[in-house]
Amino acid sequence: MALESQPDIEVVGEAGDGSQAVTMTRALTPDVVLMDVRMPVMDGIEATRRITAAGVATRVLILTTFNLDEYVFTALRAGASGFLLKDVPPADLFTAIRAVAAGDAVVAPSVTRRLIDAFARHLPAPGRTPPEDDRRHPLNRLTTREREVLTALARGHSNAEIAEHLNVGPGTVKTHVARILAKLHLRDRVHVVIYAYESGLVRPGD
């Protein structure tokens, strides 16, 4: 009912379990799937993995009552473009759906800090060969400017902020972001952040 109150959002289907969600997504090809975590037959994490692995344009936004780290991490690794809790205000949910549909990503503020802390615990150990010293590292596919944009994205800056900092137009930043996603085989901005921390390019507190 809340979604249908928005003129630019159309609910095209509703599934009762993860398996049905995968089948309906293939048939209906929606822009966004709102996915729960705990469901019968197939859980939302596996359903998300199957949907994103299918190569369709559909993006998955997890919407759940379970604020557990294991769900957050596995959902994002499975290809989800966002993770929200069901106590999110309707207006914020609408905004999140539009953002995900546009190719962006969203994570509930309450779990963002925990994500960063988790990355900190799993950063490359001191003395490990840095990415720039390994010619085979995927980061070396990027130009100097693309690495600057990647670092800024990982630190949470918006396209407008990056454009102002680099003294370029917002359209140029969007182009750089698209190239970063393509070169590193990443799905969206949230996976850019995960990649930047796990590769050691960015560390908490930088």
Side-chain angles (χ1 to χ4, degrees):
M1 291 174 60
L3 296 178
E4 289 176 340
S5 70
Q6 302 300 296
D8 60 334
I9 298 178
E10 178 184 3
V11 179
V12 297
E14 183 177 358
D17 59 65
S19 179
Q20 187 180 16
V22 174
T23 300
M24 292 182 66
T25 298
R26 290 171 180 165
L28 300 172
T29 61
D31 297 315
V32 178
V33 171
L34 286 181
M35 183 75 73
D36 203 347
V37 173
R38 292 184 180 177
M39 293 184 292
V41 184
M42 180 188 297
D43 64 56
I45 304 299
E46 180 59 26
T48 296
R49 185 176 292 109
R50 296 192 184 192
I51 290 172
T52 58
V56 296
T58 300
R59 295 178 179 274
V60 178
L61 174 58
I62 301 292
L63 182 64
T64 182
T65 58
F66 300 103
N67 187 11
L68 300 177
D69 288 352
E70 62 182 290
Y71 289 149
V72 178
F73 303 148
T74 55
L76 295 178
R77 290 183 184 280
S81 294
F83 191 101
L84 294 178
L85 302 177
K86 287 185 178 178
D87 61 359
V88 61
D92 292 345
L93 175 60
F94 304 150
T95 299
I97 291 173
R98 295 182 183 108
V100 169
D104 212 333
V106 292
V107 177
S110 62
V111 302
T112 301
R113 179 70 255 174
R114 301 206 309 273
L115 279 174
I116 294 176
D117 290 341
F119 289 137
R121 291 195 300 270
H122 294 91
L123 286 174
R128 177 177 172 180
T129 301
E132 56 268 24
D133 292 343
D134 182 355
R135 294 183 179 180
R136 297 169 297 176
H137 197 285
L139 282 176
N140 289 311
R141 300 171 189 164
L142 305 181
T143 65
T144 300
R145 180 49 58 89
E146 288 167 353
R147 286 174 69 103
E148 291 175 340
V149 172
L150 171 59
T151 301
L153 288 174
R155 290 172 177 163
H157 296 298
S158 67
N159 283 2
E161 291 170 335
I162 297 172
E164 181 178 0
H165 176 69
L166 298 179
N167 196 28
V168 298
T172 300
V173 175
K174 288 184 178 180
T175 298
H176 286 313
V177 172
R179 289 175 178 169
I180 291 168
L181 294 175
K183 289 182 178 181
L184 300 180
H185 305 292
L186 301 173
R187 187 170 180 84
D188 51 41
R189 294 169 75 105
V190 72
H191 298 105
V192 165
V193 175
I194 291 174
Y195 183 91
Y197 276 94
E198 289 188 331
S199 68
L201 179 67
V202 175
R203 295 172 179 270
D206 280 356

